């Protein structure tokens, strides 16, 4: 090993998990090297063993997992330590954790303790590895928070995590991981749960901190766009093995392994818009009546006083939104989290009552129905025609019901089918969404994330609706599955006359799927236009900032690092 | 925080009013009153009673008044004069009877609560961290045995052991020579020697439940990402567990005060009778059997008040313990 820059090398690492029924080889003969100041991206879909590999470097593995083979050599100060044989409780391992290797990971919501202040958690990390008294550690913590660009660090240090937004929490997490100047930073999907603009800021921050400190970074992600933006080296993992490794340019432009190519293809495909080919004629026909039209819809929260009064303020979750949805049209609603897009979807379904405004639905016979004035009873009929597909394929299916019950439930409730007829219809629906009807007696846990989302789609289709509101329907899925589900929806739309309202923070998904796009910011629609126009030639400054924050899956054309930043005007 | 407590105190007022009405209604529900039950026992023992005399008593006590009038007499006395009424059975003011039992009742209950916490906290943590180990199963078994053995049997057994091997007097909180003696060090030691039996008997009941609750909660918390964060910082495992997940899993412990307190005070009647403890339970039971209505009503009301206070204390502690509750 002549290379001085190599700070950590993993050789033939294998990890097994003892499951109840069998042994799972989660990681098999994985080897890679981390170099000072360089970033290695470990790419793969969920279940490929990339997180387990990363955590093994810190020896944080679940109780039923063991490292069966291989070495993890950590170099520094002229010595070389193998992490694998170290005792779990030894001082040496504890000093490596946090001291030489820092970890940040995905869930910014739950990766910090909710009952301790941000400051106390960072101070603790500092005092574990460095001889500092409380006052010194506090000063150092404020300085760290300043480095990760948290405003008012001397005040924020005493705040709790639930007072922080997702992006702020991730910054605090980064501050904690970097507290003791580690040589290596492991970032496990650090931006997956964040929306694009926050993602761009966080990646930008990590990159700058890494360069200024000369750290090696191991970045784990499933997003090829992120890889293209930040990686120096890439290793592609599948089923616990590294199937291909090389420089970022080689991987993106001379990929040899078919899996790598498939992964790239499904990412790049989302950059295009196939809708131009499948769009029905009714969409651009100005004479046809819209299916849904929303006029000046608003929803304010707060503003009332409690028993003892209190500051009266209102949050304008949705502010004066007007839009039309034509028959057969796909309307995308994009925006950052907190922009009011989910609330808008719920207002249209009236699961949340609007503060003001009207929603008009033109039903199958062409009668105009005022949705805002419907009684609870009549609302049921409306909900038959306008249905919702949820984000989380794991939480939105009742684990105690078989798939047949899940899909058949709307039919049963509406009294449309019973017994054998119900079963036949469920079978049809499952075929429609590309599932095997034979498996209708199984429970949701037997299906993968993508298959569960298909079940969710089948359930939404059961009552032959005319409009489907899909709220982040593909956000929880891997890239390759994501494009499959989108293709499925487009395919179904060709066969049934359906309109979609597609709510997403992912601009590439919206561009792929939608005819028109409405961009939401702070409850208002700031720009509306065709998908092509909004994504390639946006008029508004906010939209430009949003689009430029989307990672571009080509390392030769990095977009994010010279993106336009949108400094919001001071509207409350 | 102060505003929150004040708000809670104000909300307690309507609850208290409702509770006093229900308490009074309950003791009025059985047919007859104190005089009929006195008559029954007198005629049983062959004493002839003058009907006119009875009628006069009835008038004096106001037993024939409508419910509302009787209730008003009782509650206005409590609220305006601090007078809880008069016990027919004991021929003494109700408050005096309750007051002399309040201290032993509260002290035994609180000590039992501390015992429950002291035992179930370490066992719960151990069980959650070493789930399905021999130790976990042993403690679970121990806990369920404690839960399954009826209190009075355990009380009798412990009392027998204390008498047989430690030479203690049976029952009560003091040995005979100290009962009426002024407080001294010896009396205190004597009290401790007697106190452990009721505390263990009463405590074992709640222990098993709390162990299971803590074990379940902690098991959930141990898999949360923030535990991995804490480990990745380089904290040793026992510190990780004690500082982060245990802190959050403690919430049910604190909420336990709300329901354990009244349960300990009223629910230990049988134990208190068996052990001959000067507690509230036996007094309430006696008052209910002879329809000594002011005494029974006041005790029930007091239990209600204690429940509310317990709830309030636990909510305040929860708010101190968990900033998420404090800020939302």
């Amino acid at each position: 090993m002549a290379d001085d820059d190599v700070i950590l090398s993993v050789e033939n690492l294998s990890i097994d998990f003892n499951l109840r029924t069998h042994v799972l080889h989660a990681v098999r003969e994985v080897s890679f090297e981390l170099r000072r100041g360089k970033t290695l991206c470990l790419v793969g879909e969920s279940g490929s063993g990339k997180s387990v590999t990363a955590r093994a470097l810190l020896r944080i593995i679940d109780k039923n997992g063991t490292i069966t083979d291989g070495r993890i050599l950590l170099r520094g100060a002229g010595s070389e330590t193998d992490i694998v044989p170290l005792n779990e409780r030894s001082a040496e391992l504890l000093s490596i954790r946090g001291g030489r290797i820092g970890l940040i990971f995905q869930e910014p919501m739950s990766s910090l303790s909710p009952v301790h202040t941000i400051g106390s958690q960072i101070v603790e990390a500092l005092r574990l590895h460095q001889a500092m008294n409380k006052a010194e550690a506090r000063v150092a913590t404020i300085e760290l928070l300043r480095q990760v660009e948290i405003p008012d660090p001397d005040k924020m240090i005493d705040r709790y995590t639930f007072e922080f937004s997702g992006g702020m929490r991730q910054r605090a997490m980064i501050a904690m991981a970097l507290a003791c100047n580690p040589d290596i930073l492991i970032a496990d999907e650090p931006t997956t749960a964040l929306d694009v603009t926050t993602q761009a800021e966080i990646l930008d921050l990590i990159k700058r901190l890494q360069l200024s400190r000369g750290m090696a970074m191991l970045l784990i992600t499933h997003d090829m766009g992120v890889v293209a933006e930040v990686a120096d080296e890439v290793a592609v993992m599948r089923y616990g093995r590294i199937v291909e490794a090389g420089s970022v340019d080689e991987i993106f432009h001379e990929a040899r392994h078919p899996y790598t190519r498939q992964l790239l293809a499904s990412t790049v495909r989302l950059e295009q818009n196939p809708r131009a080919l499948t769009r029905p004629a009714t969409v651009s026909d100005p004479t046809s009546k819209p299916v849904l039209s929303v006029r000046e819809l608003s929803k304010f929260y707060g503003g009332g006083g409690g028993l003892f009064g209190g500051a009266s303020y209102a949050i304008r979750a949705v502010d004066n939104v007007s839009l039309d949805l034509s028959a057969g049209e796909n309307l995308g609603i994009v925006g950052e989290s907190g922009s009011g897009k989910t609330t808008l979807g719920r207002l249209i379904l009236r699961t949340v009552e609007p503060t003001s405004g009207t929603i008009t639905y033109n039903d199958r016979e062409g009668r105009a129905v005022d949705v805002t004035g419907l009684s609870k009873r009549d609302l049921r009929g409306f909900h038959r025609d306008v249905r919702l597909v949820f984000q989380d394929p794991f939480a939105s299916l009742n684990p105690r019901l078989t798939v047949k019950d899940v899909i058949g439930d709307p039919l049963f409730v509406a009294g449309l089918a019973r017994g054998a007829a119900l079963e036949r219809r469920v079978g049809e629906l499952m075929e429609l969404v590309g599932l095997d009807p034979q498996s209708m007696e199984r429970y949701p846990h037997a299906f993968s994330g993508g298959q569960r989302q298909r079940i969710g789609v089948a359930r939404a289709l059961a009552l032959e609706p005319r409009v489907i509101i899909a709220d982040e329907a593909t956000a929880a899925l891997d890239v390759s599955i994501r494009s499959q589900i989108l293709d499925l929806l487009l395919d179904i739309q060709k066969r049934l006359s359906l309109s979609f309202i597609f709510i997403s923070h992912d601009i590439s998904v919206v561009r792929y799927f939608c005819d028109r796009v409405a961009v939401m910011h702070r409850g208002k629609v700031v720009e509306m236009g065709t998908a092509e126009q909004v994504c390639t030639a946006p008029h508004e400054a906010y939209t430009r900032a949003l689009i430029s924050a989307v990672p571009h899956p080509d390392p030769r054309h990095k977009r994010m690092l010279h993106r336009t930043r949108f400094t919001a005007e001071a509207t409350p | 925080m102060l505003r929150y407590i004040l708000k809670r105190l104000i909300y307690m007022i309507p609850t208290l009013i409702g509770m006093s009405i229900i308490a009074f209604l309950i003791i009025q529900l059985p047919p007859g009153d104190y005089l009929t039950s006195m008559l029954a026992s007198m005629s049983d023992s062959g004493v002839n009673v003058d009907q006119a005399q009875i009628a006069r008593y009835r008038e004096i006590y106001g037993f024939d008044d409508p419910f509302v009038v009787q209730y008003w007499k009782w509650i206005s006395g409590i609220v305006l004069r601090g007078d809880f009424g008069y016990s027919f059975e004991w021929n003494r003011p109700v408050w005096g009877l309750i007051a002399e039992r309040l201290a032993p009742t509260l002290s035994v209950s609180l000590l039992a609560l501390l015992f429950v916490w002291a035992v179930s906290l370490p066992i719960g943590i151990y069980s959650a961290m070493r789930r399905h180990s021999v130790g976990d199963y042993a403690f679970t078994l121990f806990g369920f045995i404690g839960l399954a053995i009826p209190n009075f049997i355990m009380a009798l057994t412990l009392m027998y052991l204390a008498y047989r091997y430690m030479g203690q007097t049976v029952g009560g909180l003091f040995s005979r020579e100290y009962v009426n003696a002024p407080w001294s060090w010896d009396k205190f030691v004597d009290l401790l020697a007697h106190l452990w039996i009721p505390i263990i008997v009463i405590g074992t009941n709640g222990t098993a439940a709390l162990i299971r609750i803590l074990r379940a909660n902690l098991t959930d918390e141990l898999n949360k990402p923030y535990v991995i964060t804490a480990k990745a910082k380089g904290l040793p495992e026992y510190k990780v567990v004690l500082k982060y997940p245990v802190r959050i899993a403690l919430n049910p412990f604190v909420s336990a005060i709300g329901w354990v307190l009244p349960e300990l005070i009223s629910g230990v009647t049988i134990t208190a009778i068996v052990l001959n403890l000067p507690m509230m339970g036996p007094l309430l039971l006696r008052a209910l059997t002879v329809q000594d209505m002011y005494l029974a009503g006041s005790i029930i009301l007091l239990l209600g008040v204690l429940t509310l206070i317990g709830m309030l204390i636990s909510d305040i502690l929860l708010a101190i313990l968990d900033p998420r509750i404090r800020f939302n």
Side-chain angles (χ1 to χ4, degrees):
Chain A
M1 295 280 154
D3 202 339
D4 277 350
D5 271 352
V6 175
I7 192 155
L8 180 118
S9 53
V10 174
E11 296 169 7
N12 287 324
L13 185 71
S14 296
I15 300 171
D16 283 357
F17 281 90
N18 274 309
L19 301 183
R20 218 149 35 90
T21 46
H22 61 284
V23 174
L24 173 77
H25 305 289
V27 176
R28 291 187 261 192
E29 292 161 16
V30 161
S31 304
F32 58 83
E33 287 176 337
L34 295 179
R35 288 159 208 279
R36 239 173 251 288
K38 298 285 180 197
T39 303
L40 171 73
C41 273
L42 213 50
V43 191
E45 303 198 332
S46 38
S48 61
K50 49 195 200 309
S51 286
V52 176
T53 310
R55 287 183 193 180
L57 304 188
L58 289 169
R59 292 281 307 282
I60 298 178
I61 304 178
D62 287 347
K63 280 212 177 73
N64 55 352
T66 41
I67 298 177
T68 51
D69 193 22
R71 302 198 295 167
I72 302 170
L73 299 172
L74 181 64
R75 300 197 177 87
S79 66
E80 196 178 76
T81 324
D82 186 357
I83 295 177
V84 174
L86 288 182
N87 186 302
E88 186 97 36
R89 289 158 191 247
S90 67
E92 210 176 350
L93 182 65
L94 293 181
S95 73
I96 289 173
R97 288 181 183 170
R100 304 220 30 216
I101 305 180
L103 172 70
I104 46 183
F105 58 106
Q106 183 176 351
E107 289 106 297
M109 293 304 173
S110 49
S111 52
L112 290 167
S113 162
V115 298
H116 297 85
T117 59
I118 298 279
S120 78
Q121 296 183 57
I122 300 176
V123 164
E124 183 184 37
L126 279 166
R127 297 192 67 203
L128 270 173
H129 299 284
Q130 289 168 10
M132 277 188 181
N133 63 33
K134 273 192 182 159
E136 286 166 359
R138 192 178 159 88
V139 172
T141 301
I142 292 176
E143 177 50 32
L144 277 164
L145 292 178
R146 197 187 314 281
Q147 281 179 31
V148 296
E149 292 161 13
I150 287 181
D152 298 327
D154 45 335
K155 292 202 186 73
M156 296 318 253
I157 185 172
D158 293 319
R159 296 290 184 86
Y160 291 93
T161 48
F162 54 82
E163 299 174 87
F164 277 42
S165 67
M168 293 270 274
R169 282 181 218 198
Q170 206 56 300
R171 284 169 192 271
M173 186 82 197
I174 293 169
M176 189 158 86
L178 298 181
C180 303
N181 284 314
D183 300 321
I184 299 165
L185 178 66
I186 302 175
D188 186 351
E189 305 264 14
T191 58
T192 306
L194 307 173
D195 49 52
V196 274
T197 41
T198 320
Q199 159 168 300
E201 279 163 22
I202 295 286
L203 287 177
D204 197 36
L205 174 75
I206 294 179
K207 196 77 192 168
R208 277 185 286 126
L209 289 169
Q210 184 203 3
L211 289 177
S212 67
R213 291 166 182 242
M215 281 184 305
M217 177 154 79
L218 177 64
L219 182 86
I220 293 159
T221 182
H222 66 271
D223 186 337
M224 292 308 270
V226 170
V227 175
E229 299 282 353
V230 298
D232 297 301
E233 306 271 322
V234 182
V236 182
M237 269 189 100
R238 190 187 200 192
Y239 303 138
R241 284 181 203 280
I242 291 185
V243 294
E244 185 167 7
S247 76
V248 63
D249 207 65
E250 281 167 17
I251 293 288
F252 274 86
H253 293 284
E254 291 156 45
R256 284 184 305 271
H257 197 280
Y259 177 67
T260 313
R261 285 200 212 127
Q262 182 200 328
L263 212 55
L264 280 169
S266 47
T267 309
V268 174
R269 220 146 61 83
L270 287 180
E271 293 270 302
Q272 294 136 14
N273 185 342
R275 273 295 283 172
L277 308 172
T278 62
R279 187 176 300 142
T282 50
V283 173
S284 43
D285 181 8
T287 54
S288 68
K289 257 204 267 181
V291 185
L292 265 175
S293 64
V294 171
R295 286 289 167 270
E296 284 145 25
L297 197 65
S298 296
K299 175 71 189 174
F300 301 156
Y301 284 107
L307 180 63
F308 282 85
S312 147
Y313 63 94
I315 296 166
R316 291 160 182 245
V318 171
D319 193 356
N320 219 2
V321 168
S322 300
L323 41 85
D324 286 322
L325 179 71
S326 311
E329 186 186 35
N330 294 347
L331 175 67
I333 297 175
V334 289
E336 297 173 64
S337 47
S339 61
K341 51 191 195 307
T342 295
T343 311
L344 179 60
R346 298 203 175 144
L347 286 177
I348 293 174
L349 278 169
R350 257 191 72 196
T351 50
V352 173
E353 289 296 329
T355 310
S356 64
T358 56
I359 305 161
T360 314
Y361 167 65
N362 291 308
D363 68 7
R364 286 168 215 266
E365 282 84 44
R367 281 174 308 200
V369 180
D370 177 21
V371 179
T372 29
L374 284 181
S375 67
K376 267 213 166 104
R377 234 188 126 90
D378 298 328
L379 207 52
R380 265 190 243 159
F382 173 66
H383 283 165
R384 242 181 241 186
D385 286 351
V386 181
R387 305 211 48 98
L388 187 65
V389 175
F390 296 92
Q391 170 174 9
D392 190 340
F394 294 89
S396 62
L397 300 179
N398 186 339
R400 278 161 228 275
L401 294 182
T402 62
V403 171
K404 186 177 92 180
D405 294 334
V406 168
I407 299 177
D409 197 44
L411 291 165
F412 190 81
V413 170
L416 290 179
R418 293 280 142 100
L422 183 79
E423 208 158 294
R424 206 165 47 243
R425 177 83 183 114
V426 170
E428 281 168 22
L429 285 164
M430 288 182 77
E431 266 174 35
L432 187 66
V433 297
L435 290 170
D436 181 8
Q438 303 279 317
S439 55
M440 69 166 72
E441 295 296 341
R442 306 182 70 179
Y443 288 89
H445 68 81
F447 295 86
S448 70
Q451 287 172 322
R452 285 185 214 209
Q453 202 57 297
R454 285 167 192 263
I455 295 170
V457 172
R459 172 171 61 184
L461 291 174
L463 291 175
E464 297 173 5
R466 295 182 63 217
V467 178
I468 288 184
I469 298 179
D471 188 356
E472 300 279 10
T474 58
L477 305 174
D478 280 326
V479 205
S480 57
I481 315 281
R482 196 175 294 175
S483 51
Q484 281 174 24
I485 293 285
L486 292 176
D487 286 339
L488 170 76
L489 292 178
L490 288 175
D491 188 48
I492 290 171
Q493 189 176 30
K494 241 184 288 176
R495 283 191 257 166
L496 313 170
S497 102
L498 264 178
S499 307
F500 280 93
I501 292 182
F502 201 86
I503 299 168
S504 179
H505 69 273
D506 188 339
I507 286 137
S508 57
V509 166
V510 169
R511 169 163 49 191
Y512 186 75
F513 189 75
C514 296
D515 306 309
R516 282 192 308 145
V517 178
V519 182
M520 281 190 80
H521 180 54
R522 293 186 176 172
K524 288 197 167 79
V525 171
V526 292
E527 181 164 2
M528 178 127 84
T530 64
E532 277 307 318
Q533 180 257 311
V534 170
C535 294
T536 51
H539 296 311
E540 295 293 319
Y542 175 74
T543 318
R544 270 202 291 280
L546 196 66
I547 301 287
S548 70
V550 180
H552 188 50
D554 182 354
R556 291 177 189 172
H557 300 97
K558 297 191 183 184
R559 175 157 59 193
M560 221 170 62
L561 296 180
H562 21 85
R563 70 201 151 85
T564 19
R565 283 161 198 257
F566 178 72
T567 34
E569 74 285 9
T571 46
Chain B
M1 191 68 191
L2 263 175
R3 219 180 73 178
Y4 170 74
I5 296 173
L6 197 70
K7 202 154 120 182
R8 287 294 305 265
L9 284 173
I10 291 176
Y11 281 149
M12 273 166 77
I13 294 173
T15 320
L16 273 175
I17 293 174
M19 212 155 56
S20 68
I21 293 174
I22 292 171
F24 201 73
L25 196 66
I26 288 172
I27 52 173
Q28 292 274 34
L29 272 183
D33 48 42
Y34 176 67
L35 284 176
T36 46
S37 84
M38 192 179 76
L39 272 181
S41 68
M42 283 172 100
S43 54
D44 276 355
S45 44
V47 184
N48 258 329
V49 193
D50 181 7
Q51 284 301 326
Q53 183 84 359
I54 295 293
R56 236 192 60 216
Y57 274 132
R58 239 176 237 289
E59 205 183 294
I60 294 171
Y61 292 147
F63 284 161
D64 291 328
D65 292 340
F67 173 78
V68 183
V69 175
Q70 290 196 46
Y71 170 74
W72 178 248
K73 265 191 199 161
W74 179 63
I75 200 71
S76 63
I78 292 174
V79 176
L80 300 177
R81 298 187 300 274
D83 175 12
F84 284 79
Y86 198 79
S87 162
F88 311 124
E89 164 90 358
W90 295 74
N91 263 325
R92 289 177 53 191
V94 165
W95 179 245
L97 282 167
I98 292 178
E100 68 190 28
R101 281 153 199 264
L102 205 56
T105 307
L106 280 178
S107 50
V108 169
S109 305
L110 289 178
L111 285 171
L113 185 63
L114 289 180
F115 171 82
V116 169
W117 280 349
V119 172
S120 48
L121 186 63
I123 295 182
I125 294 173
Y126 176 87
S127 289
M129 299 214 18
R130 306 262 176 279
R131 244 156 35 104
H132 306 303
S133 67
V134 177
D136 178 24
Y137 286 128
F139 281 127
T140 306
L141 183 72
F142 166 80
F144 278 116
I145 288 176
L147 190 68
I149 296 179
N151 276 352
F152 69 93
I153 288 190
M154 195 183 290
L156 286 173
T157 316
L158 288 180
M159 212 152 58
Y160 173 76
L161 292 177
Y163 170 72
R164 189 83 174 76
Y165 297 101
M166 296 162 72
Q168 280 184 2
T169 43
V170 175
L173 280 179
F174 299 101
S175 303
R176 203 166 302 136
E177 63 265 35
Y178 289 111
V179 174
N180 291 316
W183 277 102
S184 64
W185 179 250
D186 290 338
K187 183 172 178 176
F188 182 68
V189 173
D190 184 62
L191 172 69
L192 290 187
H194 284 85
L195 210 51
W196 66 273
I197 297 179
I199 287 175
I200 289 180
V201 172
I202 298 165
T204 40
N205 224 341
T207 310
L210 269 186
I211 289 177
R212 301 308 290 179
I213 291 174
L214 183 63
R215 181 177 181 267
N217 272 315
L218 196 53
T219 310
D220 282 348
E221 293 295 330
L222 282 176
N223 295 322
K224 293 274 172 75
Y226 65 83
V227 179
I228 296 175
T229 310
K231 271 192 194 170
K233 258 190 235 180
L235 269 183
E237 191 178 5
Y238 74 95
K239 272 196 191 162
V240 170
V241 173
L242 286 186
K243 182 160 180 191
Y244 294 100
V246 167
R247 170 82 190 271
I248 292 172
L250 269 185
N251 284 4
F253 255 67
V254 177
S255 346
I257 302 176
W259 51 267
V260 166
L261 203 61
E263 186 177 308
L264 286 176
I265 290 168
S266 68
V268 297
T269 309
I270 294 172
T271 316
I273 291 171
V274 171
L275 289 172
N276 189 24
L277 300 176
M279 289 171 67
M280 216 86 88
L283 189 65
L284 174 62
L285 182 67
R286 179 73 196 147
L288 287 174
T289 22
V290 300
Q291 301 202 3
D292 193 350
M293 66 179 211
Y294 292 129
L295 181 57
S298 301
I299 294 177
I300 293 175
L301 187 63
L302 200 67
L303 287 177
V305 172
L306 283 173
T307 314
L308 286 182
I309 292 175
M311 295 281 182
L312 182 65
I313 293 175
S314 76
D315 282 352
I316 292 172
L317 285 179
L318 269 183
I320 292 171
L321 194 68
D322 193 334
R324 287 170 297 181
I325 296 170
R326 190 159 68 232
F327 286 90
N328 292 331

